[in-house]
Amino acid sequence: MSSPAGGGLLRDPDFGRLFAATALGQLGDRIIFLALPLVAIVALHADEFRVGLLTATTTAGSLLVGLPAGAWVDRMRKRSVMVGTDLVRALVLLTVPTAWWAGLLTIWWLYAVALVHGVLTVFFDVAYVSYLPHLVGRDRLVEGNSKLSAVRSVTSISGPTLAGPLVGLVGAPATLLASSAGMAASGLLAIGIRKGERKPAASEHPPLRRDIKEGLRFVLRHPVLRATILGDAVFNLFLVMYQAMLLVFLEREIGLGSYGIGLVLSGMGCGALLGALLATRLSERVGQGPVIWLAPLVTCPLTALMPLARPGWSLCVAAAGLAALSLGGVVRVVAQSSLQQGLTPDRLLGRMSATARFVSWGGLPLGGVLGGVSGAVFGARATLCIGAVGMTLSMLPCFLSPLRTLRELPEAVPVRPAGRRGDR
């Protein structure tokens, strides 16, 4: 592995293009994270339940197409999937400011945009995770994931910092123009990646249903992969409950405007950047398995500071707790992604990613609905407390698995292709 001081993978032109595309795409995505809910909260005056339902719709793609997406992506060139989904997402986001200026924007329009954008994001993310081992090689996965997490963390800082003033200046609907431009630029940059990628021949693949079953069987029977995705499922369910009410809490109970909310979210980005910088070192020192369960155990309880906050200094302390959550989240994701990719044979990477996403993200729509219902019944403050407890408990599946003591990445498990004699 090249040393960071020498630039490492950043000296590779193709990885540099992927790095730049990731920066622009993630910048657009972080603006969406702030602007889209604020369109509902401020521009359309949606109540807590409708805001929660918007969050659920945004994440419904994993439940709707999570499993077949992996089998489809394994039959395609991953870079082409990334480019196509980026460009189409850019067009979909462009409809929000257009509808707003035409006087046609409704909450149902937002639901439709969130759903289509979420489905396309599933395909993009599956292709993205599957493409990285092809681009950098398995021996450089931790370095590649760390660098890409670093750029995602930087955009987590700059995105909300840029979005807050933009929302205040031009309004939340128009701010989505910046998101659309970021997605489009990301797709155009990815076109320039030159490393060849062979398109899988149709004869190499059995029927789609058998492909899906093979991916499910591989992931769910592997004790390490199974533990990581179950831990993710619990974490993501309660994280979405928490996020569904976070902006409502900050805007309506704390009284922050869009600029103040942007600063709080930028603080989370600072934590994520520090996590990306420390991820490789912590994985080496603590062990790639233990760091996956220790990160949420140490950082998730600090999210309980937010519902205790009031305007003033306590809000700054609570924002630091959110930054710690992001730090731990990035450390966990870098170690976990590298471990999942390293354990999976090349031909199953798409299905592994899609299966993991389906199981761990399939509960996101439920989390959004539960967050909205809880916010409407108990209030945003109580919902944040529930989310903090649930995120902390998400470490249990990994703690109770071989990850508790696993320090080094094992070899990928050889798997016979589906359809051969004896594999049925």
Side-chain angles (χ1 to χ4, degrees), residues 36 113 188 326 414:
L36 194 63
V113 168
L188 294 175
S326 295

Side-chain angles (χ1 to χ4, degrees), residues 16-107:
R17 293 183 184 96
L18 179 65
F19 186 86
T22 300
L24 290 170
Q26 288 293 315
L27 181 62
D29 193 59
R30 298 313 296 175
I31 293 174
I32 294 170
F33 180 78
L34 176 63
L36 194 63
L38 285 179
V39 174
I41 295 169
V42 178
L44 299 180
H45 308 290
D47 59 21
E48 285 85 352
F49 178 74
R50 290 189 175 186
V51 174
L53 192 57
L54 179 62
T55 302
T57 309
T58 303
T59 57
S62 296
L63 192 61
L64 294 175
V65 298
L67 285 178
W72 282 327
V73 167
D74 276 341
R75 299 170 183 229
M76 305 174 187
R77 290 188 177 94
K78 278 67 173 177
R79 190 193 59 144
S80 299
V81 176
M82 292 160 56
V83 170
T85 51
D86 261 344
L87 297 180
V88 176
R89 284 189 296 174
L91 291 175
V92 169
L93 292 171
L94 194 59
T95 69
V96 175
T98 303
W100 173 253
W101 290 327
L104 301 174
L105 187 63
T106 65
I107 191 66

Side-chain angles (χ1 to χ4, degrees), residues 211-224:
D211 266 358
I212 294 172
K213 287 182 178 178
E214 186 182 15
L216 272 170
R217 187 166 56 245
F218 173 73
V219 171
L220 296 181
R221 287 182 178 178
H222 197 295
V224 171

Side-chain angles (χ1 to χ4, degrees), residues 14 18 72-83 123-124 126-136 190-191 193-201 204-205 346-347 349-350:
D14 283 336
L18 179 65
W72 282 327
V73 167
D74 276 341
R75 299 170 183 229
M76 305 174 187
R77 290 188 177 94
K78 278 67 173 177
R79 190 193 59 144
S80 299
V81 176
M82 292 160 56
V83 170
F123 283 94
F124 176 87
V126 170
Y128 185 85
V129 171
S130 307
Y131 187 61
L132 186 63
H134 166 78
L135 188 66
V136 306
I191 292 175
I193 298 175
R194 297 183 179 182
K195 185 171 183 179
E197 183 185 3
R198 183 179 65 88
K199 181 179 180 180
E204 294 179 4
H205 293 285
D346 286 341
R347 67 179 191 83
L349 279 167

Side-chain angles (χ1 to χ4, degrees), residues 166-178:
L166 271 178
V167 170
L169 183 64
V170 302
T175 301
L176 289 172
L177 286 172

Side-chain angles (χ1 to χ4, degrees), residues 33-331:
F33 180 78
L34 176 63
L36 194 63
L38 285 179
V39 174
I41 295 169
V42 178
L44 299 180
H45 308 290
D47 59 21
E48 285 85 352
F49 178 74
R50 290 189 175 186
V51 174
L53 192 57
L54 179 62
T55 302
T57 309
T58 303
T59 57
S62 296
L63 192 61
L64 294 175
V65 298
L67 285 178
W72 282 327
V73 167
D74 276 341
R75 299 170 183 229
M76 305 174 187
R77 290 188 177 94
K78 278 67 173 177
R79 190 193 59 144
S80 299
V81 176
M82 292 160 56
V83 170
T85 51
D86 261 344
L87 297 180
V88 176
R89 284 189 296 174
L91 291 175
V92 169
L93 292 171
L94 194 59
T95 69
V96 175
T98 303
W100 173 253
W101 290 327
L104 301 174
L105 187 63
T106 65
I107 191 66
W108 295 103
W109 192 299
L110 285 188
Y111 290 156
V113 168
L115 180 61
V116 174
H117 183 272
V119 168
L120 292 170
T121 299
V122 171
F123 283 94
F124 176 87
D125 287 348
V126 170
Y128 185 85
V129 171
S130 307
Y131 187 61
L132 186 63
H134 166 78
L135 188 66
V136 306
R138 291 179 177 273
D139 59 331
R140 307 182 86 181
L141 279 174
V142 173
E143 181 188 359
N145 281 314
S146 295
K147 283 181 164 56
L148 293 175
S149 291
V151 74
R152 285 194 291 267
S153 302
V154 170
T155 58
S156 294
I157 302 169
S158 56
T161 304
L162 174 64
L166 271 178
V167 170
L169 183 64
V170 302
T175 301
L176 289 172
L177 286 172
S179 297
S180 178
M183 293 288 180
S186 173
L188 294 175
L189 268 170
I191 292 175
I193 298 175
R194 297 183 179 182
K195 185 171 183 179
E197 183 185 3
R198 183 179 65 88
K199 181 179 180 180
S203 59
E204 294 179 4
H205 293 285
L208 186 65
R209 182 179 298 178
R210 191 179 300 164
D211 266 358
I212 294 172
K213 287 182 178 178
E214 186 182 15
L216 272 170
R217 187 166 56 245
F218 173 73
V219 171
L220 296 181
R221 287 182 178 178
H222 197 295
V224 171
L225 296 179
R226 183 173 64 244
T228 59
I229 64 173
L230 288 178
D232 259 359
V234 177
F235 177 84
N236 289 331
L237 175 70
F238 287 98
L239 174 65
V240 171
M241 284 188 66
Y242 192 97
Q243 289 178 332
M245 289 300 105
L246 178 60
L247 296 187
V248 174
F249 175 77
L250 292 173
E251 202 271 339
R252 292 179 179 170
E253 298 199 28
I254 299 295
L256 286 184
S258 58
Y259 184 71
I261 294 173
L263 287 178
V264 171
L265 297 182
S266 294
M268 295 179 69
C270 291
L273 176 59
L274 182 59
L277 297 175
L278 295 175
T280 302
R281 186 176 302 173
L282 287 174
S283 293
E284 292 173 351
R285 178 162 297 187
V286 178
Q288 200 162 357
V291 80
I292 292 174
W293 60 266
L294 277 171
L297 179 62
V298 172
T299 60
C300 288
L302 299 176
T303 58
L305 295 171
M306 181 56 72
L308 302 176
R310 298 293 187 275
W313 66 268
S314 64
L315 179 60
C316 297
V317 176
L322 294 183
L325 172 70
S326 295
L327 186 155
V330 170
V331 170

